[in-house]
Amino acid sequence: MQVEQQTLVTQEHPFKVTAYWLDQVSDFGETVDYPVIIICPGGGFTYHSGREEAPIAMRFVAEGMHAVILNYQLETATSKVYPWALQQLGQTIDWVTKQASAHHIDPDRIILAGFSAGGHVVADYNGIATDPALRAKYQLNQFAGQHAAVILGYPVIDLDAGFPTTVAERDKITTDPTLFAAQKLLNAQSKPAFVWQTVTDELVPPINTMMYVQTLMQLGLETEYHLFGSGIHGLALANHVTKKPHKTKYLNDQAAHWLPLAVRWLQLQGYLHDEN
């Protein structure tokens, strides 16, 4: 496996990506083009959670996927998250697409994964990038490539549905009302989604995922939804790998099933080769 770190720039807003590129397996006797997962970690739009970066990336690498971690635009004293985070995700897809030959990437199998705040970036993108008018409005037409599906873990979906808790905090993320509610951006061309959360999420109310999944179903889009009965926000892998030291609340043996469930969903959707 090769690890590559790059700093990309979108309209004078630099951002970092870290790629984990799979090597070819000599025993296969032929070249294999692998799917790639682009991960947007959470962190409340103020930081990027390391628990949702390499630990999750490595699990997908082990399933036969390249993995790229995107450190998208955070809120700062001088900049909001949007629209820069959307353009950075678009440029990351473009960057991955243009390296298809060099790293044996299948550009038709680019999967986006977002957790918590990163889930809002991915969920918004799944609506905007698949709507020609909105794609042009938010200057995504300059980027090549497109995603095939999304995976959302305890995502923020609607900025007026429990997180953030105040208008002032929301306005640090964006003052553009079009971007508040990701479920309202979905359209018939949006991509399939695997979504999971817990009933007892204390930070992002489960109504967020419910609204998103309901809209997916109304549009007739492929979706799989898992609402686990208990668990705190930000479980990541929900096992010992991402448990914060001395904090057993980050362990949840039921919610930890989300990753093999997501892998199987990708197989059933045709984005990963199954065992047959």
Side-chain angles (χ1 to χ4, degrees), residues 9-211:
V9 181
T10 298
Q11 295 192 22
E12 299 183 0
H13 284 73
F15 63 100
K16 294 182 179 180
V17 294
T18 302
Y20 300 88
W21 303 123
L22 288 168
D23 294 322
Q24 292 294 300
V25 179
S26 59
D27 293 1
F28 284 176
E30 62 181 87
T31 300
V32 175
D33 290 335
Y34 292 106
V36 58
I37 187 165
I38 298 173
I39 299 170
C40 293
F45 299 104
T46 61
Y47 72 102
H48 299 116
S49 172
R51 298 170 54 254
E52 295 158 355
E53 295 185 335
I56 292 175
M58 290 302 95
R59 286 293 300 273
F60 282 104
V61 166
E63 295 294 342
M65 303 181 73
H66 300 296
V68 175
I69 297 167
L70 165 59
N71 290 147
Y72 54 87
Q73 176 70 45
L74 300 173
E75 61 181 56
T76 69
T78 58
S79 181
K80 300 184 187 301
V81 175
Y82 295 110
W84 316 117
L86 293 172
Q87 294 182 11
Q88 290 165 350
L89 182 47
Q91 184 168 350
T92 301
I93 294 171
D94 179 283
W95 180 72
V96 166
T97 299
K98 289 176 179 176
Q99 298 194 79
S101 296
H103 291 291
H104 302 289
I105 300 163
D106 184 346
D108 293 327
R109 294 188 289 162
I110 297 175
I111 312 301
L112 308 182
F115 299 86
S116 192
H120 191 265
V121 176
V122 170
D124 262 11
Y125 192 89
N126 195 29
I128 290 171
T130 54
D131 181 312
L134 290 176
R135 188 176 178 88
K137 176 181 177 180
Y138 291 99
Q139 301 179 47
L140 299 181
N141 285 336
Q142 61 185 306
F143 305 119
Q146 61 180 350
H147 67 292
V150 304
I151 295 173
L152 302 173
Y154 41 87
V156 178
I157 294 296
D158 192 320
L159 299 180
D160 290 320
F163 183 90
T165 57
T166 68
V167 171
E169 286 298 318
R170 184 196 67 193
D171 288 351
K172 292 179 181 179
I173 301 165
T174 181
T175 53
D176 181 350
T178 301
L179 303 179
F180 290 173
Q183 77 276 12
K184 296 180 181 179
L185 296 170
L186 287 168
N187 61 81
Q189 303 307 313
S190 296
K191 305 302 182 178
F194 178 97
V195 186
W196 74 276
Q197 195 174 12
T198 63
V199 171
T200 56
D201 190 318
E202 77 288 359
L203 188 66
V204 178
I207 190 65
N208 281 264
T209 50
M210 292 177 184
M211 291 188 296

